[in-house]
Amino acid sequence: QALINHLNLGQHIQLLGNVDDMSHYYHQIDLLVVPSIREAFGMSIAESLAHGVPVICTEVDGTTEVFIKGENSLAIKPTLGPQQYSELGGSLSDWPEFVYSPSEDAIVDPKALDPDTLAQTIATLLNDPQQYSTMSERARAHAINKLDYTAHVENLYQLLL
């Protein structure tokens, strides 16, 4: 909170803590930003899509398994190594040894999102109402059509045949 106040961002950022009513939460936000260094599965991304909220996230591990890049959400390839991340104030205490890179389909050294690239991506999407509206509609449709449990089991079954 001190940093938010210091940067005079209080009117734009709220630290909510534990949220009990997630449906209400998703209806109050315009965009979900997930700048993870690693992510096993993007449950919050799936929930966001189900509420028609586009996502901007790091292109790592499980984030890109949940959406269609460029159609209903955006994924940014991370570029900052641990030294740069640390210089920006990030903690290296949980910095993983390796992560999976979907774009390279390989295990790689972890990297973090560049904050300037993230900010630019957010601004570009929010300043384009047509693209935002299209992504929002596609997010909801994708969640209904592709993230349904029965459809998932059927798709898995077909893969195993």
Side-chain angles (χ1 to χ4, degrees), residues 42-59:
M43 183 58 79
S44 62
I45 294 171
E47 291 173 351
S48 182
L49 297 177
H51 287 87
V53 178
V55 176
I56 295 177
C57 68
T58 314
E59 188 176 279

Side-chain angles (χ1 to χ4, degrees), residues 13-93:
I13 298 173
Q14 295 177 5
L15 301 177
L16 301 177
N18 187 35
V19 176
D20 293 323
D21 186 351
M22 291 307 294
S23 183
H24 176 73
Y25 167 77
Y26 285 114
H27 285 101
Q28 299 300 310
I29 65 172
D30 297 315
L31 186 65
L32 181 70
V33 178
V34 184
S36 304
I37 294 170
R38 66 177 168 198
E39 188 79 35
F41 180 77
M43 183 58 79
S44 62
I45 294 171
E47 291 173 351
S48 182
L49 297 177
H51 287 87
V53 178
V55 176
I56 295 177
C57 68
T58 314
E59 188 176 279
V60 294
D61 299 319
T63 60
T64 58
E65 296 174 10
V66 185
F67 61 86
I68 300 173
K69 182 179 177 181
E71 183 175 311
N72 53 34
S73 294
L74 300 172
I76 305 168
K77 188 171 181 174
T79 58
L80 300 182
Q83 181 65 32
Q84 294 166 300
Y85 179 71
S86 178
E87 289 170 1
L88 290 170
S91 171
L92 298 177
S93 64

